[in-house]
Amino acid sequence: MHTEFLMGNEAIALGALAAGVNVVAGYPGTPSTEVLETVARRKTDDVYVEWSINEKAAMEVAAGAAYSGARAMVTCKQVGLNVASDPLMSLEYIGVKGGMVVMVADDPGPISSQTEQDTRTFAQFSKLPCFDPSSVAEAYEMVQEAFELSERLGTPVFFRATTRVDHGYEAIEVASPDEWRHNCPEGFVKDPSRWVIFPRLSVVNHAKIEARNAALQDEFSDYQRNLILPEAGEGRRLGIATHGINYAYVREGLREDARPRVLRVATPFPFPERRAVEFLQGLDEVLCVEELDPVIERQLTYVCGKYGLDVHIRGKLTGDIVPSGENTVESVTAAIDAFLGEEPEASAPAANAPTLPVRPPVLCAGCPHRASFYAVKVAMKGKKTIYCGDIGCYTLGNAAPLDMVDTCLCMGAGINIAQGVFHVEPDTTCFAFVGDSTFFASGITGTINAFYNQADMTLVVLDNSTTAMTGHQPHPGTGRTMMGEVVEKVSIEAILRAIGLTCVETVDPLDHKLAVETVRRVAAQPGVKAIIFKSPCVVLAKPQAHSFVDPDKCVGCQRCVKQLGCPGLVPRDGKVVIDESLCCGCTLCEQVCPFGAIGGGQRIAMDLGQAGGAR
Amino acid sequence: MSTNIILCGVGGQGTILASKLIASAAMGRNVAVKTAETIGMAQRGGSVFSHVRLGDGVASPLMARGTADLIIAFEPAEAVRQLPFLKPDGCVVVSSRPVVPVSAMTGGPAYEYEAIMAYLREQVANLVVVDADQAAAELGSAKCLNVVLLGAASRAGELGLTEEDLLAAIHTLLPNKLWELNEQALKYTASLS
C-alpha cells in the first residue's frame, strides 16, 4: 500500500484494477471520463480497455467478458446509461458469471449534462444493486466491494457517484500493482438454458431476482457503510438521513457535541430496511438530505407506513430541501438549521458589487467549428432554414454572434429531428450538424433513416478528428485505440457513400470562400446530401503562426468581432487587436476583414483526399 | 485547524495545476488535503474554480460561503465572482490582467475593469494585486502565472506553506525542463519588494 493524491475517478479506476478487473469498456462523458483513461494509463498488460463507439456497445462488450468469467466494468455518464439501457435491462434477467460493475457518473446541477436523472432511481427500475460512495477514499474501497457482490450474486451492479466525488481529490491509501487481485477467467461455457433469453427464462429469473433482492435488503442492513451516527448532546428526537457527497455536507453543517442521529445510506437499492427501522426508532422527525431524486425520503416514508412508525419524514417532497439542482454546504447547513429550529447565521449583505461579465463556455480561438457554422450562415443568408445541433463542443455554436444551433436534444438526435421538421415544413432547408465522434456513436442510423425515408436535408459532419469536448479521446475515425494500437481508420465519407448518398463533399471550413460555395451547391441538391468539414481540433494541432492587425488599415468597424465572436479578437481603443496567447492563426478573421487589415496567420494544410483514410 | 483556499479564473489559465501544487506541497508537510475541481464544459473559456481544503477535520471537498481564508484569482472579475466565499478578514491575491469574454463584445454585460478593481480594493483589506503583464514580460512567459500567484500567496502568509514547500511540489509535479522558469516565477513577487 502507498499514498496517492487522487481524483475520485482515478480512485475508482485503481479500485477496479485492485479488484482484478479484466475488461473495461466505456464511452466518454463528463463527469465519468477519467475512470477509463486512468485504467488505460495504470493497467497491467493483461487488462483490456476500450472506448466503445457508444455506451450500448460498451455494455454488451462488458457483458460478453463477464459471461466468460472475466471481471468487467462499464463507464459512462448518466445519459450514457440511457443509451446502454436496452442491453442492461435484459442483462438483469440473464446475469453474469464474472463480476460486472456498471460505473455511472451522475451530474447534479447539471454542470455538464442535459438531464438531472438519478441512477439510484434507475437501480430501482432495473432491480440491480447500487452503491453510492461519499468520498474519494470510500469510492476506492467500495468499487472493490461492488465487484465482490456482483460476482457472488451473478448480477451486474451499479456503482454510482456524483460530480463532487468523481472530480474531488483526496490523498488516499491504495494497493500497488503487485498487491492487485489476479483474476483468471474460466472462459465462456456453452449453456443455452442460461445465456439465451426467452420469455420462459425471464419469468423464472424474474422470481429469482425478487427473492435475491429481498435477501439483499437484509444483507445490506448489516453492511457497515449503511451507517448510523448516534445522536450527541441533549436528547432531541430528530434524525437526518443522507447519502453520497451530501453526507460530507451534513457533517460540515453539524456540531459534534449537539447533533441529531444520522443515517448514511450507501446502498439505495435494495434499501437496507432493517437498518432504517433501527434508525427511525424513537425519532419524531427525520430530514432527508438528498440530491436529485427523493429516493431515501420515499423509502423511509414507506418503511414508516409498513412498520407503523409515527415519524414525520421531511425532505424534497415536503419542501424542506430544494427539489432540483445541486446542494451545497450552505444550502444543506441552512436546511439543517431550519430543521433543528436554530437561527441561521446572518450573512453580510453584499455591498453594491459591480455587474460582472458573463462567461459561458465558448468555442476556442481558431476552432474550425466556428468557420463551419459561419460558412453555412453566410451561404444560407435570407433563406428559411433550421439548424439542428447535437452533443459536443459544437453545441456552443448556439451562442451569439453565430446563433447556429436551433435544437439540441441528445447524442445523434439532430439528424432525425431535421427529418421530422422537413416532413412538416417541406419548404424549410434543413441542416443537421454532427461531430465525428457523435456520428460514429449514434449518427449513422439516423442518416440511413433519412436516406430510406426520402427526407430532404443536408448533413454537416464537423470532423475535427477527435472527441474534443470530453478531452480528446480516440474514436474509429482516428486510427488509434485505447490499447495503443494504430488501426485502419473508419472513413465517414465511405460510410455515407455506402448508405447511398451520391452528394458527399469534404472541404476545409477555414477556406471560407470555398466552404460557402460548397454549402450553396450541396444544399441545393435534392434528397439527403452531406458536407464533411474537416479540420483538426486546435487544442491538439496548435500551429505556430498567429494573425495580427495592421492598425493603419483597421478602421475599427469590428466586423470580425461581431461576425465571428472569436475570443482572440479584442476591441481596444476603437480598433481590434489580437490576443497572441489565444490566436492560432486560423486566418478566418483575415478572410472576413473587408479592409485586408489582418494578416500573418497560417491555417493547417488539410489533406482532404485522405479524409478519414478512405479505403 | 484547517485552511480554505479558492483558486479561480478562466478555463485554460492553469488553476487545476496550481491546486495540485498546493496539495502536493501540503502533503509534503503531512497536512491532509481535499480539493474539488471544475472539469468539463466550463473549461472552454468559462469561469472555473477549485476549492482546496488543508488540515484535519474537513469532511467536504467544497467549503461554505464566507469561510475561505484565501482566494487566489487568476482574473479580476472572477475574484469578484468568488468573493462571497471569502471570510471577513480573508486575503485575496489577484492578477491584474482582465480576460474579456466574447459575451462582453457581442451584447452581454460589459467588462467594467475600473469598477471591478475599485470594488476589490474597497471590499478586501488584505488584497495583493499582481501585475501579470509585467510578470510575463520579465519572466519571458505568460504560462507560469499560476506559480507567480502561488509565490505571492505564500508571501502574503495565508497559504500556510513556504516557498520551499512549493518548490518541492514543483520538483515533484513538473518535468525538469520547466523547473528553472517556475522557480523564477515562484520568487518573482519577492523581487518586486
Side-chain angles (χ1 to χ4, degrees), chain A residues 169 252 357-359 362 468, chain B residues 35 44 53 60 78 81 99 103:
Chain A
Y169 280 81
E252 293 278 340
V358 292
R359 212 185 284 281
V362 290
Chain B
T35 76
R44 301 277 178 270
R53 307 192 66 191
S60 162
E78 297 312 311
R81 214 185 295 281
V99 178
S103 69

Side-chain angles (χ1 to χ4, degrees), chain B residues 156-179:
Chain B
E158 299 294 335
L159 196 52
L161 297 166
T162 65
E163 209 171 89
E164 287 68 42
D165 297 332
L166 292 167
L167 199 57
I170 286 169
H171 291 167
T172 306
L173 294 185
L174 300 182
N176 293 21
K177 61 177 182 180
L178 295 178
W179 286 5

